[in-house]
Amino acid sequence: MRPAPIKRCRGFTLIEAVTVIAITGVIAAVVVGFIRSPVQGYFDLERRVETTDTADTALRRMGRDFRLALPNSVRSVGTSPLCLEYLPTVTGGRYRAEAPGAALDFTTPTTTFDVLSTLNPIPASGDQVVVYNLGIPGADAYSGENRATILSATANSITLDTATQFSLASPGNRFQILPAAEQAVFYVCTNSGSGIDAAGNGNGSLYRLSHYGINAVAPTSCPAVSTDSPMLAQNVSHCEFDYTAGVTQRNGLISMRIDITKDHETTSLYNAVHVSNSP
């Protein structure tokens, strides 16, 4: 028998390897050119969605709070458009104005009065009741002339910790409850006028500050922000708050604008909230 022929194994030559590498590089460059724009577009879209969601969430939260504000309690702080103060409410109702029952008497100090509508939630001890807040001398919750602290309450009755004679009766026999846990609330926008940093991000932040007491005199500057203050938005490059009371004082308009800048791209949102000033 003749011996089987010897099989010779051959590999790639250097020229073939270099050719394959060169061709692969050309193909990779072409592929990168096709997918670069879609990938960059995806990251751009993700950034825009994030900044839009941040601004929208902040404005919605502010709008909800201002709609629940005590009538005639919104006030601008000083001449700055970057800070607004208001008194939040948690519930309200109608008081009994005449006997039988425990009526709220405006001619003599009162300790207990009946509530005609069921309170929900029931006020806690330390919460405050306000009657007919007009925001003027004699009927200003900030000054305390129509405000009293609650000792205890049920769904249909309120007992005050001190006998109080409220200044003016409400035409609709209405009252509002202020929470002791928050007292006055401020929305503060810091560093919004300092532009953007080297990375293209806004330098400012938006905060919601509470429990600053209820001060008769409007502060001339916004309260200080600490490291543990609750933040609603960051990367803020510009914000504006403006409050305009209605001509008849039965409504008001709060205009809010916030710009969020990230990676040299700015998202700007505007919202206007009608505030009921009918106490």
Side-chain angles (χ1 to χ4, degrees), residues 70-72 87 89 91-97 103-107 110 112-115 127-150 158 160 164-178 277-279:
L70 179 71
N72 301 298
L87 297 178
T89 65
T91 187
R94 298 180 64 242
Y95 58 82
R96 184 182 298 277
L104 181 57
D105 194 342
F106 289 85
T107 63
T110 301
T112 301
F113 62 90
D114 291 340
V115 178
D127 289 350
Q128 301 191 49
V129 57
V130 178
V131 178
Y132 203 43
N133 188 58
L134 298 176
I136 60 176
D140 184 10
Y142 284 107
S143 299
E145 300 150 329
N146 56 349
R147 173 169 51 88
T149 302
I150 296 174
I158 290 179
L160 306 177
T164 302
Q165 181 176 346
F166 292 93
S167 54
L168 297 174
S170 166
N173 301 336
R174 298 174 58 193
F175 65 90
Q176 289 83 27
I177 302 296
L178 309 181
N277 281 333
S278 177

Coordinates of all heavy atoms in Angstrom, one line a residue, residues 70-72 87 89 91-97 103-107 110 112-115 127-150 158 160 164-178 277-279:
L70 N -53.9 79.5 53.1 CA -54.9 80.3 53.8 C -55.2 81.6 52.9 O -54.3 82.2 52.4 CB -54.4 80.8 55.1 CG -55.3 81.7 56.0 CD1 -56.5 80.9 56.5 CD2 -54.6 82.3 57.1
P71 N -56.5 81.9 52.7 CA -56.8 83.1 51.9 C -56.1 84.3 52.4 O -56.0 84.6 53.6 CB -58.3 83.2 52.0 CG -58.8 81.8 52.3 CD -57.7 81.1 53.1
N72 N -55.6 85.1 51.5 CA -54.9 86.3 51.8 C -53.6 86.2 52.6 O -53.3 87.1 53.3 CB -55.8 87.3 52.4 CG -57.1 87.6 51.6 OD1 -57.0 88.2 50.5 ND2 -58.2 87.3 52.1
L87 N -49.3 80.7 54.4 CA -49.7 79.9 55.5 C -50.5 78.7 55.0 O -51.5 78.9 54.4 CB -50.6 80.7 56.5 CG -49.9 81.9 57.2 CD1 -50.8 82.7 58.1 CD2 -48.7 81.5 58.0
T89 N -52.9 75.3 55.0 CA -54.1 74.8 55.7 C -54.2 73.3 55.5 O -53.7 72.8 54.5 CB -55.4 75.5 55.2 OG1 -55.6 75.1 53.9 CG2 -55.3 77.0 55.3
T91 N -57.3 71.7 56.8 CA -58.7 71.5 56.7 C -59.4 72.7 57.1 O -58.8 73.8 57.3 CB -59.1 70.3 57.7 OG1 -60.5 70.0 57.5 CG2 -59.0 70.7 59.1
G92 N -60.7 72.7 57.1 CA -61.6 73.9 57.4 C -63.0 73.4 57.5 O -63.3 72.3 57.3
G93 N -63.9 74.4 57.8 CA -65.3 74.1 57.9 C -66.1 75.3 58.2 O -65.7 76.4 58.1
R94 N -67.3 75.0 58.7 CA -68.3 76.1 59.1 C -68.6 76.0 60.6 O -68.8 74.9 61.1 CB -69.5 76.0 58.3 CG -69.3 76.2 56.8 CD -70.6 76.1 56.0 NE -71.5 77.2 56.4 CZ -72.7 77.0 56.9 NH1 -73.1 75.7 57.2 NH2 -73.5 78.0 57.2
Y95 N -68.5 77.1 61.3 CA -68.8 77.1 62.7 C -70.2 77.4 63.0 O -70.9 78.0 62.1 CB -67.9 78.1 63.4 CG -68.0 79.5 62.9 CD1 -69.0 80.4 63.4 CD2 -67.1 80.1 62.0 CE1 -69.1 81.7 62.9 CE2 -67.2 81.4 61.6 CZ -68.2 82.2 62.0 OH -68.4 83.5 61.6
R96 N -70.7 77.0 64.2 CA -72.1 77.3 64.6 C -72.1 78.8 65.0 O -71.4 79.2 65.9 CB -72.6 76.4 65.7 CG -74.0 76.7 66.1 CD -74.4 75.8 67.3 NE -74.3 74.4 66.9 CZ -75.3 73.7 66.3 NH1 -76.4 74.3 65.9 NH2 -75.1 72.4 66.1
A97 N -73.0 79.6 64.4 CA -73.1 81.0 64.6 C -74.2 81.4 65.7 O -74.1 82.4 66.3 CB -73.4 81.8 63.3
A103 N -72.1 78.1 70.2 CA -71.9 79.0 69.0 C -70.6 79.8 69.2 O -70.2 80.0 70.4 CB -73.1 80.0 68.9
L104 N -70.0 80.2 68.1 CA -68.8 81.0 68.2 C -69.3 82.5 68.3 O -69.8 83.1 67.4 CB -68.0 80.8 66.9 CG -66.7 81.6 66.9 CD1 -65.8 81.4 68.1 CD2 -65.9 81.3 65.6
D105 N -69.1 83.1 69.5 CA -69.5 84.4 69.8 C -68.4 85.4 69.5 O -67.3 85.3 70.0 CB -69.9 84.5 71.3 CG -70.7 85.7 71.6 OD1 -70.7 86.7 70.8 OD2 -71.4 85.7 72.7
F106 N -68.8 86.4 68.8 CA -67.8 87.5 68.4 C -67.9 88.7 69.3 O -67.2 89.7 69.0 CB -67.9 87.9 66.9 CG -67.5 86.8 66.0 CD1 -68.4 85.8 65.6 CD2 -66.2 86.7 65.5 CE1 -68.0 84.8 64.8 CE2 -65.8 85.8 64.6 CZ -66.7 84.7 64.3
T107 N -68.8 88.6 70.3 CA -68.9 89.8 71.2 C -68.2 89.5 72.6 O -68.1 90.4 73.4 CB -70.4 90.1 71.5 OG1 -71.0 88.9 72.1 CG2 -71.1 90.4 70.2
T110 N -64.5 83.3 73.6 CA -65.0 82.0 73.4 C -64.0 80.9 73.6 O -62.8 81.1 73.2 CB -65.7 81.8 72.0 OG1 -66.7 82.8 71.9 CG2 -66.3 80.4 71.9
T112 N -65.1 77.2 73.4 CA -65.5 76.0 72.7 C -66.6 76.4 71.7 O -67.5 77.2 72.0 CB -66.0 74.9 73.6 OG1 -65.0 74.6 74.5 CG2 -66.4 73.7 72.8
F113 N -66.5 75.9 70.5 CA -67.6 76.1 69.5 C -67.8 74.9 68.7 O -66.9 74.0 68.5 CB -67.4 77.3 68.6 CG -66.2 77.2 67.8 CD1 -66.2 76.7 66.5 CD2 -64.9 77.7 68.2 CE1 -65.1 76.6 65.7 CE2 -63.8 77.6 67.4 CZ -63.9 77.1 66.1
D114 N -69.1 74.7 68.2 CA -69.4 73.6 67.4 C -69.1 73.8 65.9 O -69.1 74.9 65.4 CB -71.0 73.3 67.5 CG -71.4 72.8 68.9 OD1 -70.5 72.3 69.6 OD2 -72.6 72.9 69.2
V115 N -68.8 72.7 65.3 CA -68.5 72.7 63.9 C -69.6 72.0 63.1 O -70.0 70.9 63.5 CB -67.2 71.9 63.6 CG1 -66.9 71.9 62.1 CG2 -66.0 72.6 64.3
D127 N -52.5 72.9 66.7 CA -53.0 73.5 65.4 C -53.7 74.8 65.7 O -54.2 75.0 66.9 CB -53.9 72.5 64.6 CG -53.1 71.4 64.1 OD1 -51.9 71.4 64.1 OD2 -53.8 70.4 63.6
Q128 N -53.9 75.6 64.7 CA -54.5 76.9 65.0 C -55.7 77.1 64.0 O -55.7 76.7 62.9 CB -53.5 78.0 64.8 CG -52.3 77.9 65.7 CD -51.4 79.1 65.7 OE1 -51.9 80.2 65.9 NE2 -50.1 78.9 65.6
V129 N -56.7 77.8 64.6 CA -57.9 78.1 63.8 C -57.9 79.5 63.5 O -57.5 80.4 64.3 CB -59.2 77.7 64.6 CG1 -59.2 78.4 66.0 CG2 -60.4 78.0 63.8
V130 N -58.3 79.8 62.2 CA -58.3 81.2 61.7 C -59.7 81.5 61.2 O -60.3 80.7 60.5 CB -57.3 81.4 60.6 CG1 -57.4 82.8 60.1 CG2 -55.9 81.1 61.1
V131 N -60.2 82.6 61.5 CA -61.6 83.0 61.1 C -61.5 84.3 60.3 O -61.0 85.3 60.8 CB -62.5 83.2 62.3 CG1 -63.9 83.7 61.8 CG2 -62.7 81.9 63.1
Y132 N -62.0 84.3 59.1 CA -62.1 85.4 58.2 C -60.9 86.2 58.0 O -60.7 87.4 58.4 CB -63.3 86.4 58.7 CG -63.9 87.3 57.7 CD1 -64.2 86.8 56.4 CD2 -64.2 88.6 57.9 CE1 -64.7 87.6 55.4 CE2 -64.7 89.4 57.0 CZ -65.0 88.9 55.7 OH -65.6 89.7 54.8
N133 N -59.9 85.6 57.4 CA -58.6 86.3 57.2 C -58.6 87.1 56.0 O -58.8 86.7 54.8 CB -57.5 85.2 57.0 CG -56.1 85.9 57.0 OD1 -55.7 86.6 57.9 ND2 -55.4 85.7 55.9
L134 N -58.5 88.4 56.2 CA -58.6 89.4 55.1 C -57.2 89.9 54.8 O -57.0 90.6 53.8 CB -59.5 90.6 55.4 CG -61.0 90.2 55.6 CD1 -61.7 91.5 56.0 CD2 -61.6 89.6 54.4
G135 N -56.2 89.6 55.6 CA -54.9 90.1 55.4 C -54.7 91.6 55.6 O -53.8 92.3 55.1
I136 N -55.6 92.2 56.4 CA -55.6 93.7 56.7 C -55.6 93.8 58.2 O -55.9 92.9 59.0 CB -56.8 94.4 56.1 CG1 -58.1 93.8 56.7 CG2 -56.8 94.3 54.6 CD1 -59.3 94.6 56.2
P137 N -55.2 95.0 58.8 CA -55.2 95.2 60.2 C -56.6 94.9 60.8 O -57.6 95.4 60.3 CB -54.9 96.7 60.4 CG -54.0 97.0 59.1 CD -54.6 96.2 58.0
G138 N -56.6 94.1 61.8 CA -57.8 93.7 62.5 C -58.3 92.3 62.0 O -59.1 91.7 62.7
A139 N -57.8 91.9 60.9 CA -58.2 90.5 60.4 C -57.0 89.9 59.6 O -57.1 89.6 58.5 CB -59.4 90.6 59.5
D140 N -55.9 89.8 60.3 CA -54.6 89.4 59.7 C -54.1 88.2 60.6 O -53.7 88.4 61.7 CB -53.6 90.5 59.7 CG -52.3 90.1 58.9 OD1 -52.3 89.0 58.3 OD2 -51.3 90.8 59.0
A141 N -54.0 87.0 60.0 CA -53.6 85.8 60.7 C -52.1 86.0 61.1 O -51.7 85.4 62.1 CB -53.8 84.6 59.8
Y142 N -51.3 86.7 60.3 CA -49.9 86.8 60.7 C -49.8 87.6 62.0 O -48.9 87.3 62.8 CB -49.1 87.6 59.6 CG -48.8 86.7 58.4 CD1 -49.5 86.9 57.2 CD2 -47.8 85.7 58.4 CE1 -49.1 86.1 56.1 CE2 -47.5 84.9 57.4 CZ -48.2 85.1 56.2 OH -47.8 84.3 55.1
S143 N -50.6 88.6 62.2 CA -50.6 89.4 63.4 C -51.3 88.7 64.6 O -51.1 89.0 65.7 CB -51.3 90.7 63.2 OG -50.6 91.5 62.2
G144 N -52.1 87.6 64.3 CA -52.8 86.8 65.3 C -54.1 87.4 65.8 O -54.7 86.9 66.8
E145 N -54.6 88.4 65.1 CA -55.9 89.0 65.6 C -57.1 88.1 65.3 O -58.1 88.3 66.0 CB -56.1 90.3 64.8 CG -54.9 91.3 65.1 CD -54.7 92.3 63.9 OE1 -54.9 91.8 62.8 OE2 -54.3 93.4 64.2
N146 N -57.0 87.2 64.4 CA -58.1 86.3 64.1 C -57.7 84.8 64.1 O -58.2 84.0 63.4 CB -58.7 86.6 62.7 CG -57.6 86.6 61.6 OD1 -56.4 86.5 61.9 ND2 -58.1 86.6 60.4
R147 N -56.7 84.6 65.0 CA -56.1 83.2 65.1 C -56.0 82.8 66.5 O -55.6 83.6 67.4 CB -54.7 83.3 64.4 CG -53.9 82.1 64.5 CD -52.6 82.1 63.6 NE -51.9 83.4 63.8 CZ -50.9 83.5 64.6 NH1 -50.6 82.5 65.5 NH2 -50.2 84.6 64.7
A148 N -56.3 81.5 66.8 CA -56.2 81.0 68.1 C -55.7 79.5 68.1 O -55.9 78.8 67.1 CB -57.6 81.0 68.8
T149 N -55.1 79.1 69.2 CA -54.5 77.8 69.2 C -55.5 76.8 69.8 O -56.2 77.1 70.7 CB -53.2 77.8 70.1 OG1 -52.3 78.7 69.6 CG2 -52.6 76.4 70.2
I150 N -55.5 75.6 69.2 CA -56.5 74.6 69.5 C -55.9 73.7 70.7 O -54.7 73.3 70.6 CB -56.8 73.7 68.3 CG1 -57.5 74.5 67.2 CG2 -57.6 72.5 68.7 CD1 -57.7 73.7 65.9
I158 N -64.5 72.2 68.5 CA -63.2 72.7 68.7 C -63.1 73.4 70.0 O -64.0 74.2 70.3 CB -62.7 73.6 67.6 CG1 -62.5 72.9 66.2 CG2 -61.4 74.3 67.9 CD1 -62.2 73.7 65.1
L160 N -60.5 75.7 72.4 CA -59.3 76.5 72.3 C -58.5 76.5 73.6 O -59.1 76.3 74.7 CB -59.7 78.0 72.0 CG -60.5 78.2 70.7 CD1 -60.9 79.6 70.6 CD2 -59.8 77.6 69.5
T164 N -60.9 83.2 73.5 CA -60.5 84.1 72.4 C -61.7 84.8 71.8 O -62.7 84.2 71.6 CB -59.7 83.4 71.3 OG1 -58.6 82.7 71.8 CG2 -59.3 84.4 70.2
Q165 N -61.6 86.1 71.6 CA -62.6 86.8 70.9 C -62.1 87.2 69.6 O -61.2 88.1 69.4 CB -63.0 88.1 71.7 CG -64.1 88.9 71.0 CD -64.6 90.1 71.9 OE1 -64.3 90.2 73.1 NE2 -65.3 91.0 71.3
F166 N -62.6 86.6 68.6 CA -62.2 86.8 67.2 C -62.7 88.2 66.7 O -63.8 88.7 67.2 CB -62.7 85.7 66.2 CG -62.0 84.4 66.5 CD1 -62.6 83.5 67.3 CD2 -60.8 84.1 65.9 CE1 -62.0 82.2 67.6 CE2 -60.2 82.9 66.1 CZ -60.8 81.9 66.9
S167 N -61.9 88.8 65.9 CA -62.2 90.2 65.5 C -63.5 90.4 64.6 O -64.3 91.2 64.9 CB -61.0 90.8 64.8 OG -60.6 90.0 63.7
L168 N -63.6 89.6 63.6 CA -64.6 89.7 62.6 C -65.3 88.4 62.3 O -64.6 87.4 62.2 CB -64.1 90.3 61.3 CG -63.5 91.8 61.4 CD1 -63.0 92.1 60.0 CD2 -64.6 92.8 61.8
A169 N -66.6 88.4 62.2 CA -67.3 87.2 61.8 C -67.2 86.9 60.3 O -67.2 87.9 59.5 CB -68.7 87.2 62.2
S170 N -67.2 85.7 59.9 CA -67.1 85.3 58.5 C -68.6 85.4 57.9 O -69.5 84.8 58.5 CB -66.5 84.0 58.3 OG -66.8 83.5 57.0
P171 N -68.8 86.0 56.8 CA -70.1 86.0 56.2 C -70.7 84.6 55.9 O -71.9 84.4 56.0 CB -70.0 86.8 54.9 CG -68.8 87.7 55.2 CD -67.9 86.9 56.0
G172 N -69.8 83.7 55.6 CA -70.2 82.3 55.4 C -70.0 81.4 56.5 O -70.1 80.2 56.4
N173 N -69.6 82.0 57.7 CA -69.4 81.2 58.9 C -68.3 80.1 58.7 O -68.4 79.0 59.2 CB -70.7 80.5 59.4 CG -71.8 81.4 59.7 OD1 -71.5 82.6 60.0 ND2 -73.0 81.0 59.6
R174 N -67.2 80.6 58.1 CA -66.2 79.6 57.7 C -64.9 79.9 58.5 O -64.7 81.0 59.0 CB -65.8 79.8 56.2 CG -67.0 79.4 55.3 CD -66.6 79.7 53.8 NE -65.4 79.0 53.4 CZ -64.7 79.3 52.3 NH1 -65.1 80.3 51.5 NH2 -63.6 78.6 52.0
F175 N -64.1 78.8 58.7 CA -62.8 78.9 59.4 C -61.9 78.0 58.7 O -62.3 77.1 57.9 CB -62.9 78.6 60.8 CG -63.3 77.1 61.1 CD1 -62.4 76.1 61.2 CD2 -64.7 76.8 61.2 CE1 -62.7 74.8 61.5 CE2 -65.0 75.4 61.4 CZ -64.1 74.5 61.5
Q176 N -60.6 78.2 58.9 CA -59.5 77.3 58.4 C -58.6 76.9 59.5 O -58.5 77.6 60.5 CB -58.7 78.0 57.2 CG -59.4 78.2 55.9 CD -60.3 79.4 55.9 OE1 -60.0 80.4 56.7 NE2 -61.4 79.4 55.2
I177 N -57.9 75.7 59.3 CA -57.0 75.2 60.3 C -55.6 75.2 59.8 O -55.3 74.7 58.7 CB -57.4 73.8 60.7 CG1 -58.8 73.7 61.2 CG2 -56.4 73.2 61.7 CD1 -59.0 74.5 62.5
L178 N -54.7 75.8 60.5 CA -53.3 75.9 60.2 C -52.5 74.8 61.0 O -52.8 74.6 62.2 CB -52.6 77.2 60.5 CG -53.3 78.5 60.0 CD1 -52.6 79.7 60.5 CD2 -53.5 78.4 58.5
N277 N -58.9 83.9 47.4 CA -58.7 84.8 48.6 C -60.0 85.1 49.2 O -60.2 86.1 49.9 CB -58.0 86.1 48.2 CG -56.5 85.9 48.0 OD1 -55.9 85.0 48.6 ND2 -55.9 86.7 47.2
S278 N -61.0 84.2 49.0 CA -62.3 84.4 49.7 C -62.3 83.6 51.0 O -62.4 82.4 51.0 CB -63.4 83.8 48.7 OG -64.7 84.0 49.4
P279 N -62.2 84.3 52.1 CA -62.2 83.6 53.4 C -63.5 83.1 53.9 O -63.6 82.4 54.9 CB -61.6 84.6 54.3 CG -62.1 85.9 53.8 CD -62.2 85.7 52.3

